[in-house]
Amino acid sequence: MKIGNTEVKFNFKALFRANALLSTQADAKDGASQLWLQFVTGDENEAVYNALRVLIADKKDSEIEDLIDSDYSDGDKFEELYKDLQAELEKSSFFRRAAKHWTDLVEKNLKSLPQKTSEEKTQAKAIKDTLEEMKKSLS
């Protein structure tokens, strides 16, 4: 897939870049699964921006923002970019493996979440719903 004049791919290098840029904690190494999650939950703006940060390593964040503004400000073009990036991401065995690892961990830990208060029950349901969406995206 091409972004501007740059050929991009969610390869092994992109996996490590995603983990460095997008992980939830310094040594969590879950950035690749977090990117997958952004596409699954339909967080289009964050998903596109973060995918481009991962894929176009030689651009600063402000340059990526400028690229989006100049080349994809039309709603249809942005939607097409989102779908193309998602399709490219789903083809990556590296990112797919990271997303599968995330689902396995969440599924394992979901059972131990406290669910006594209504807030805890709501949080657990949201996590479970997200887990189901992640599993569906991997099938």
Side-chain angles (χ1 to χ4, degrees):
M1 142 173 221
K2 263 190 156 181
I3 303 292
N5 295 325
T6 307
E7 188 69 33
V8 296
K9 190 171 186 167
F10 287 101
N11 55 20
F12 196 63
K13 191 178 200 177
L15 172 82
F16 277 89
R17 186 156 169 79
N19 286 341
L21 291 171
L22 307 174
S23 288
T24 55
Q25 296 176 10
D27 33 334
K29 295 181 183 157
D30 64 348
S33 60
Q34 292 303 308
L35 183 59
W36 191 289
L37 187 59
Q38 288 174 357
F39 278 96
V40 166
T41 59
D43 190 356
E44 292 180 13
N45 294 332
E46 287 293 316
V48 167
Y49 176 69
N50 284 324
L52 294 179
R53 288 176 64 212
V54 166
L55 293 171
I56 309 173
D58 63 337
K59 297 235 186 263
K60 296 178 187 170
D61 289 351
S62 62
E63 292 173 307
I64 289 171
E65 293 159 4
D66 291 342
L67 173 74
I68 293 169
D69 282 340
S70 66
D71 294 0
Y72 302 100
S73 60
D74 174 284
D76 291 339
K77 285 183 182 178
F78 187 82
E79 183 66 26
E80 184 179 335
L81 175 62
Y82 173 80
K83 288 178 180 175
D84 290 347
L85 287 168
Q86 185 173 21
E88 190 68 30
L89 178 70
E90 289 174 355
K91 285 192 271 182
S92 170
S93 62
F94 301 115
F95 281 77
R96 180 173 289 281
R97 224 179 348 267
K100 174 75 171 99
H101 180 70
W102 183 91
T103 60
D104 292 345
L105 285 174
V106 170
E107 195 164 45
K108 180 180 165 185
N109 292 316
L110 187 61
K111 297 170 187 159
S112 64
L113 278 179
Q115 297 184 39
K116 294 179 181 168
T117 68
S118 64
E119 185 178 327
E120 289 171 342
K121 289 177 185 176
T122 301
Q123 287 175 342
K125 182 172 178 356
I127 293 169
K128 186 177 181 185
D129 291 348
T130 303
L131 176 63
E132 291 308 311
E133 289 299 314
M134 282 288 277
K135 284 179 168 181
K136 196 170 15 172
S137 75
L138 290 165
S139 60

